[in-house]
Amino acid sequence: MLDKNAIQFYDKDEKVWELKKKRVTDQRCNQSSHFVEGSFYGGRETMTIDRLKQSQLMSKEISDLIISHEKVAHVQLQNPLDHALLILIKSGYTAIPVLDNDFRVRGQISKNEILDSILGLERLEIERLHDITVETVMKKKIPRLKTDTTFSKALTTSINHPFICIEDEEASFVGILTRSSILALVNRYFQQST
């Protein structure tokens, strides 16, 4: 627990924030804890993050984590939205890659983008699903990585994306890297190192 004396307080006379720097003991893990640049860090968490940064895991290539293109649901640019929606519903995914005829990634399509495209003023215009192509509503700016990308780069990229499309040197679709596979590897690393 945090000591009552180790808190941030406001000096009204000088109108300056001060941080009282005092060593406190985290009684939960019996390790020394301290304030660093205005934030509280426990000894165990700081040590684990430092160990992760220094490990070989961060420089490892992502090739072992890639889900192969044969196992990934996807649609083509010319597919109608009703086909894309069917694929999304059957697969259980919220978004899938969009590929061209040369098997290159051109974007991704999600349930939200499909529903936004058929949203009328008073109702969903479902009859329009067959007339609109995937290419017209897909998201074109998506993250992409190469097969030899380091785990560190993949981890950073995955923060805001549930999956990342992986391409080879010729920009052909190889598969996807999911955020859950990245987190699973980090979890295994921490379980083995404790």
Short mmCIF file of all heavy atoms in Angstrom, two decimals, residues 88-113:
data_model
loop_
_atom_site.label_atom_id
_atom_site.label_comp_id
_atom_site.label_asym_id
_atom_site.label_seq_id
_atom_site.Cartn_x
_atom_site.Cartn_y
_atom_site.Cartn_z
N LEU A 88 -18.13 -12.29 -43.09
CA LEU A 88 -17.87 -11.76 -41.75
C LEU A 88 -18.73 -12.45 -40.70
O LEU A 88 -18.24 -12.82 -39.62
CB LEU A 88 -18.12 -10.25 -41.71
CG LEU A 88 -17.05 -9.39 -42.36
CD1 LEU A 88 -17.57 -7.99 -42.67
CD2 LEU A 88 -15.82 -9.32 -41.47
N ILE A 89 -19.99 -12.65 -41.00
CA ILE A 89 -20.90 -13.29 -40.04
C ILE A 89 -20.51 -14.75 -39.82
O ILE A 89 -20.41 -15.22 -38.68
CB ILE A 89 -22.36 -13.17 -40.50
CG1 ILE A 89 -22.81 -11.70 -40.41
CG2 ILE A 89 -23.27 -14.06 -39.68
CD1 ILE A 89 -24.13 -11.41 -41.07
N LYS A 90 -20.27 -15.48 -40.90
CA LYS A 90 -19.91 -16.92 -40.80
C LYS A 90 -18.58 -17.13 -40.09
O LYS A 90 -18.41 -18.08 -39.34
CB LYS A 90 -19.86 -17.55 -42.19
CG LYS A 90 -21.18 -17.71 -42.83
CD LYS A 90 -21.86 -18.94 -42.32
CE LYS A 90 -23.09 -19.22 -43.15
NZ LYS A 90 -23.78 -20.39 -42.68
N SER A 91 -17.62 -16.24 -40.32
CA SER A 91 -16.29 -16.40 -39.72
C SER A 91 -16.27 -15.94 -38.26
O SER A 91 -15.41 -16.37 -37.49
CB SER A 91 -15.24 -15.63 -40.52
OG SER A 91 -15.46 -14.23 -40.40
N GLY A 92 -17.18 -15.03 -37.91
CA GLY A 92 -17.19 -14.51 -36.55
C GLY A 92 -16.25 -13.33 -36.35
O GLY A 92 -16.12 -12.80 -35.25
N TYR A 93 -15.60 -12.89 -37.41
CA TYR A 93 -14.67 -11.76 -37.32
C TYR A 93 -15.43 -10.44 -37.49
O TYR A 93 -16.49 -10.40 -38.09
CB TYR A 93 -13.59 -11.85 -38.40
CG TYR A 93 -12.71 -13.07 -38.29
CD1 TYR A 93 -12.49 -13.88 -39.39
CD2 TYR A 93 -12.10 -13.40 -37.10
CE1 TYR A 93 -11.68 -15.00 -39.31
CE2 TYR A 93 -11.29 -14.52 -37.00
CZ TYR A 93 -11.09 -15.32 -38.10
OH TYR A 93 -10.29 -16.42 -38.00
N THR A 94 -14.84 -9.38 -36.99
CA THR A 94 -15.43 -8.06 -37.19
C THR A 94 -14.84 -7.38 -38.42
O THR A 94 -15.45 -6.47 -38.97
CB THR A 94 -15.20 -7.15 -35.96
OG1 THR A 94 -13.81 -7.08 -35.68
CG2 THR A 94 -15.94 -7.68 -34.75
N ALA A 95 -13.67 -7.82 -38.86
CA ALA A 95 -13.02 -7.26 -40.05
C ALA A 95 -12.18 -8.34 -40.72
O ALA A 95 -11.69 -9.26 -40.05
CB ALA A 95 -12.14 -6.07 -39.68
N ILE A 96 -12.03 -8.23 -42.04
CA ILE A 96 -11.23 -9.18 -42.81
C ILE A 96 -10.46 -8.43 -43.90
O ILE A 96 -10.86 -7.35 -44.32
CB ILE A 96 -12.09 -10.30 -43.45
CG1 ILE A 96 -13.23 -9.71 -44.27
CG2 ILE A 96 -12.59 -11.27 -42.39
CD1 ILE A 96 -14.05 -10.74 -45.02
N PRO A 97 -9.35 -9.02 -44.38
CA PRO A 97 -8.58 -8.37 -45.45
C PRO A 97 -9.32 -8.38 -46.79
O PRO A 97 -10.12 -9.28 -47.06
CB PRO A 97 -7.32 -9.23 -45.55
CG PRO A 97 -7.29 -10.08 -44.35
CD PRO A 97 -8.69 -10.21 -43.87
N VAL A 98 -9.03 -7.37 -47.61
CA VAL A 98 -9.54 -7.30 -48.98
C VAL A 98 -8.34 -7.47 -49.90
O VAL A 98 -7.34 -6.76 -49.78
CB VAL A 98 -10.23 -5.94 -49.25
CG1 VAL A 98 -10.69 -5.87 -50.71
CG2 VAL A 98 -11.39 -5.72 -48.30
N LEU A 99 -8.45 -8.42 -50.83
CA LEU A 99 -7.35 -8.72 -51.75
C LEU A 99 -7.75 -8.42 -53.19
O LEU A 99 -8.93 -8.48 -53.53
CB LEU A 99 -6.96 -10.20 -51.64
CG LEU A 99 -6.64 -10.73 -50.24
CD1 LEU A 99 -6.32 -12.22 -50.30
CD2 LEU A 99 -5.51 -9.97 -49.62
N ASP A 100 -6.75 -8.13 -54.03
CA ASP A 100 -7.03 -7.97 -55.46
C ASP A 100 -6.82 -9.31 -56.16
O ASP A 100 -6.54 -10.32 -55.50
CB ASP A 100 -6.18 -6.85 -56.07
CG ASP A 100 -4.68 -7.14 -56.04
OD1 ASP A 100 -4.27 -8.30 -55.79
OD2 ASP A 100 -3.91 -6.19 -56.28
N ASN A 101 -6.93 -9.33 -57.48
CA ASN A 101 -6.79 -10.58 -58.23
C ASN A 101 -5.38 -11.16 -58.18
O ASN A 101 -5.18 -12.34 -58.46
CB ASN A 101 -7.21 -10.37 -59.69
CG ASN A 101 -8.70 -10.10 -59.80
OD1 ASN A 101 -9.47 -10.50 -58.93
ND2 ASN A 101 -9.10 -9.41 -60.85
N ASP A 102 -4.38 -10.33 -57.88
CA ASP A 102 -2.99 -10.78 -57.77
C ASP A 102 -2.62 -11.19 -56.35
O ASP A 102 -1.45 -11.35 -56.03
CB ASP A 102 -2.04 -9.69 -58.26
CG ASP A 102 -2.24 -9.38 -59.73
OD1 ASP A 102 -2.51 -10.33 -60.49
OD2 ASP A 102 -2.14 -8.20 -60.11
N PHE A 103 -3.62 -11.30 -55.48
CA PHE A 103 -3.43 -11.73 -54.09
C PHE A 103 -2.62 -10.72 -53.28
O PHE A 103 -1.84 -11.07 -52.43
CB PHE A 103 -2.78 -13.12 -54.04
CG PHE A 103 -3.33 -13.98 -52.94
CD1 PHE A 103 -4.67 -14.31 -52.91
CD2 PHE A 103 -2.50 -14.45 -51.95
CE1 PHE A 103 -5.17 -15.11 -51.89
CE2 PHE A 103 -3.00 -15.25 -50.93
CZ PHE A 103 -4.34 -15.58 -50.91
N ARG A 104 -2.81 -9.46 -53.58
CA ARG A 104 -2.17 -8.38 -52.83
C ARG A 104 -3.22 -7.70 -51.96
O ARG A 104 -4.37 -7.53 -52.36
CB ARG A 104 -1.54 -7.36 -53.77
CG ARG A 104 -0.44 -7.94 -54.63
CD ARG A 104 0.23 -6.85 -55.46
NE ARG A 104 1.02 -7.37 -56.55
CZ ARG A 104 2.19 -8.00 -56.42
NH1 ARG A 104 2.69 -8.21 -55.24
NH2 ARG A 104 2.85 -8.43 -57.47
N VAL A 105 -2.80 -7.29 -50.78
CA VAL A 105 -3.70 -6.64 -49.83
C VAL A 105 -4.02 -5.23 -50.32
O VAL A 105 -3.11 -4.45 -50.63
CB VAL A 105 -3.08 -6.57 -48.42
CG1 VAL A 105 -4.00 -5.83 -47.46
CG2 VAL A 105 -2.74 -7.95 -47.90
N ARG A 106 -5.29 -4.91 -50.39
CA ARG A 106 -5.72 -3.58 -50.82
C ARG A 106 -6.42 -2.81 -49.70
O ARG A 106 -6.66 -1.62 -49.81
CB ARG A 106 -6.65 -3.66 -52.02
CG ARG A 106 -5.96 -4.18 -53.26
CD ARG A 106 -4.85 -3.24 -53.66
NE ARG A 106 -4.15 -3.74 -54.82
CZ ARG A 106 -2.87 -3.57 -55.02
NH1 ARG A 106 -2.13 -2.94 -54.15
NH2 ARG A 106 -2.29 -4.05 -56.08
N GLY A 107 -6.80 -3.51 -48.63
CA GLY A 107 -7.48 -2.86 -47.52
C GLY A 107 -8.13 -3.89 -46.63
O GLY A 107 -7.78 -5.06 -46.64
N GLN A 108 -9.09 -3.42 -45.84
CA GLN A 108 -9.88 -4.33 -45.02
C GLN A 108 -11.32 -3.82 -44.97
O GLN A 108 -11.58 -2.65 -45.18
CB GLN A 108 -9.30 -4.48 -43.62
CG GLN A 108 -9.57 -3.35 -42.68
CD GLN A 108 -8.97 -3.58 -41.30
OE1 GLN A 108 -8.00 -4.31 -41.14
NE2 GLN A 108 -9.55 -2.95 -40.31
N ILE A 109 -12.22 -4.74 -44.72
CA ILE A 109 -13.64 -4.39 -44.63
C ILE A 109 -14.17 -4.92 -43.30
O ILE A 109 -13.76 -5.99 -42.85
CB ILE A 109 -14.45 -4.94 -45.82
CG1 ILE A 109 -15.89 -4.45 -45.79
CG2 ILE A 109 -14.45 -6.44 -45.87
CD1 ILE A 109 -16.22 -3.53 -46.89
N SER A 110 -15.04 -4.13 -42.70
CA SER A 110 -15.61 -4.53 -41.41
C SER A 110 -17.13 -4.45 -41.46
O SER A 110 -17.70 -3.83 -42.38
CB SER A 110 -15.09 -3.63 -40.29
OG SER A 110 -15.62 -2.33 -40.42
N LYS A 111 -17.77 -5.05 -40.49
CA LYS A 111 -19.23 -4.99 -40.39
C LYS A 111 -19.68 -3.53 -40.29
O LYS A 111 -20.69 -3.15 -40.89
CB LYS A 111 -19.71 -5.78 -39.18
CG LYS A 111 -19.51 -7.27 -39.30
CD LYS A 111 -19.91 -7.97 -38.01
CE LYS A 111 -19.60 -9.44 -38.08
NZ LYS A 111 -19.86 -10.12 -36.80
N ASN A 112 -18.96 -2.74 -39.53
CA ASN A 112 -19.35 -1.34 -39.35
C ASN A 112 -19.34 -0.58 -40.67
O ASN A 112 -20.24 0.22 -40.94
CB ASN A 112 -18.42 -0.63 -38.36
CG ASN A 112 -18.67 -1.06 -36.95
OD1 ASN A 112 -19.69 -1.65 -36.64
ND2 ASN A 112 -17.73 -0.76 -36.07
N GLU A 113 -18.32 -0.78 -41.49
CA GLU A 113 -18.25 -0.10 -42.78
C GLU A 113 -19.40 -0.52 -43.70
O GLU A 113 -19.96 0.30 -44.42
CB GLU A 113 -16.90 -0.36 -43.44
CG GLU A 113 -15.77 0.39 -42.74
CD GLU A 113 -14.43 -0.31 -42.83
OE1 GLU A 113 -14.35 -1.45 -43.31
OE2 GLU A 113 -13.44 0.31 -42.39
#
